[in-house]
Amino acid sequence: MAGYRAQRRLPGGYTERMPVTLRSHAKINLGLAIGPVRPDGFHALATVYQTVSAHDLVTVEIMRRGNSRPWIELTCNDPRVPRDSRNTVCRMLSLALDLPGREHLAARVHIDKRLPVQGGLGAGSANAVAALAGLERRIAAAGLAPALTGEQRLRLAAEVGSDVPLFLLGGAVLGLGRGENVVPLQDLPALSAVIALPDTGVSTPAAFRDWDRAQASLGLTPQDETDRLSRLSRALAAAWCEPHTSGIFAHRGEGRAGTLLSSLVQTGILLNDFEQVVFRQHPFLETIKRSLAGQSSGHPAVYAALSGSGSAVFGLYADQDGADAAGQRLNTLGVRALRAQILDRPAYWSGMVVRED
Ligand code: C5P
């Protein structure tokens, strides 16, 4: 610690000359079961997050903290993005720069927004993790403070939001608790994704409230809701285990990683509970899902669903032809679409840093 203190001054000329630009990848949800409301007001849930290649770009610079300027400055090419403490990037960096030994540091961040705001793709959460990764990289390169431990990073991320920690793992990630308890899963193959971006914003807290009202009107008990989480967790554990059972149990699918998703889809368990409330309010989103699923086309999706609370809806396809055909169907509906690929953990990390001066 004493040795590190000696290096704490920012080297002269360092300011604003060493930006790092990182990809801030989106996620989709492969199934999302909503459980009962917890004492802290959040909902218990179970989901599989999967990172995809679609991304924003986040550029981070660090500088000496001065009295005349804010110590976290945020700019963005999209005027809908808040630039104050409502932004996950500001919340993440103020936590990270508030740690002992970092009182002298300030940060400037620019978000080049390509993903939708309020899209259910976790874009704001991913921005926060990219900003943290950029900050830590610059701090480490200049030897300005000790590196955070992995556990510290996960704790800060969970403080910022329920779907922030997943971006510290990347790839296929099991999300439990309120979504912030994350466990890495064996990666899925790089399926092609088509992500529909309708012009509809869905508020996640409002979608949770609608869900609660719907459950209450059905007379469901907290136990019924807990059972839903357990069913999804069991199905996921069984599916991810199957390829490794060496034929000891007879199983239905081929049991290879390539068929893991299809065997899960066949169980009928891989549903996103938010669809029940969000599709009722925005019926066009269900039309989009049906179009992406393409059941009566020659190229049906392996899986199609709402992502998080929406409004993005995605389809996953075994080959490019399937994705091309889905893209054309969306075009006919007049819906904007992003083409992407499922991004496994090694690809997520190896492609993260775009430019470093
Ligand atoms: O954690 P995050 O800030 O992303 O959550 C936003 C809002 O979504 C929360 O304030 C809460 O209303 C709702 N939420 C919830 N249960 C979760 C996650 C989020 O009720 N598991």
Side-chain angles (χ1 to χ4, degrees):
M1 203 67 172
Y4 136 74
R5 275 185 177 283
Q7 300 176 28
R8 256 176 41 183
R9 270 186 35 234
L10 275 172
Y14 184 82
T15 302
E16 297 159 39
R17 287 208 196 139
M18 296 181 75
V20 56
T21 299
L22 304 99
R23 287 191 181 87
S24 162
H25 291 107
K27 61 83 180 159
I28 53 178
N29 295 82
L30 308 177
L32 192 158
I34 307 175
V37 183
R38 315 186 317 180
D40 62 4
F42 284 85
H43 293 73
L45 59 80
T47 188
V48 174
Y49 302 109
Q50 172 64 59
T51 49
V52 293
S53 56
H55 59 271
D56 293 331
L57 290 175
V58 173
T59 301
V60 185
E61 300 164 51
I62 55 171
M63 58 200 104
R64 198 190 302 271
R65 200 178 295 190
N67 294 331
S68 58
R69 60 200 297 178
W71 50 289
I72 298 167
E73 282 180 61
L74 179 64
T75 54
C76 181
N77 61 337
D78 184 335
R80 291 169 305 171
V81 173
R83 288 129 206 255
D84 52 25
S85 60
R86 287 169 297 164
N87 193 299
T88 48
V89 166
C90 294
R91 294 215 299 281
M92 177 67 96
L93 292 194
S94 75
L95 288 172
L97 290 175
D98 221 19
L99 295 169
R102 294 164 172 227
E103 303 84 356
H104 58 304
L105 295 176
R108 178 183 290 165
V109 178
H110 178 74
I111 304 171
D112 181 356
K113 183 104 333 252
R114 295 150 179 223
L115 299 169
V117 181
Q118 281 202 328
L121 298 173
S125 302
N127 291 165
V129 167
L132 179 70
L135 181 84
E136 292 306 306
R137 207 170 158 88
R138 295 286 75 203
I139 287 178
L144 296 168
L148 300 180
T149 63
E151 195 278 338
Q152 274 177 313
R153 291 193 294 266
L154 284 162
R155 188 176 50 73
L156 296 187
E159 257 186 76
V160 174
S162 306
D163 64 356
V164 181
L166 83 102
F167 291 106
L168 286 167
L169 302 189
V173 177
L174 177 64
L176 297 171
R178 59 179 168 87
E180 92 290 18
N181 286 339
V182 286
V183 184
L185 293 172
Q186 182 194 343
D187 278 314
L188 293 172
L191 297 171
S192 295
V194 177
I195 306 173
L197 305 175
D199 293 326
T200 317
V202 177
S203 149
T204 302
F208 273 115
R209 281 195 297 275
D210 292 343
W211 172 262
D212 291 340
R213 272 195 289 273
Q215 298 308 98
S217 69
L218 290 172
L220 292 180
T221 64
Q223 187 55 48
D224 295 324
E225 300 186 68
T226 304
D227 289 348
R228 188 189 298 98
L229 297 191
S230 306
R231 274 199 299 278
L232 179 58
S233 302
R234 271 197 303 271
L236 294 173
W240 255 270
C241 168
E242 262 190 11
H244 308 285
T245 57
S246 309
I248 288 179
F249 297 114
H251 48 72
R252 293 177 299 179
E254 288 165 47
R256 301 239 176 279
T259 62
L260 194 148
L261 187 60
S262 1
S263 60
L264 260 176
V265 173
Q266 279 159 26
T267 65
I269 195 88
L270 214 58
L271 301 172
N272 179 345
D273 282 345
F274 277 122
E275 290 183 0
Q276 290 183 41
V277 287
V278 174
F279 285 176
R280 206 170 299 151
Q281 287 195 0
H282 306 284
F284 187 50
L285 300 187
E286 190 165 15
T287 308
I288 293 174
K289 175 178 165 176
R290 242 182 274 120
S291 167
L292 283 167
Q295 285 310 330
S296 52
S297 74
H299 299 285
V302 177
Y303 179 62
L306 186 73
S307 187
S309 60
S311 62
V313 186
F314 66 90
L316 299 177
Y317 304 88
D319 52 41
Q320 287 297 325
D321 288 349
D324 288 346
Q328 278 161 18
R329 291 195 296 274
L330 284 184
N331 212 4
T332 314
L333 282 179
V335 178
R336 191 160 71 93
L338 276 179
R339 292 290 294 271
Q341 284 231 310
I342 277 187
L343 204 58
D344 64 19
R345 197 161 300 113
Y348 176 80
W349 288 106
S350 65
M352 189 176 276
V353 175
V354 179
R355 200 169 46 244
E356 196 160 24
D357 293 339

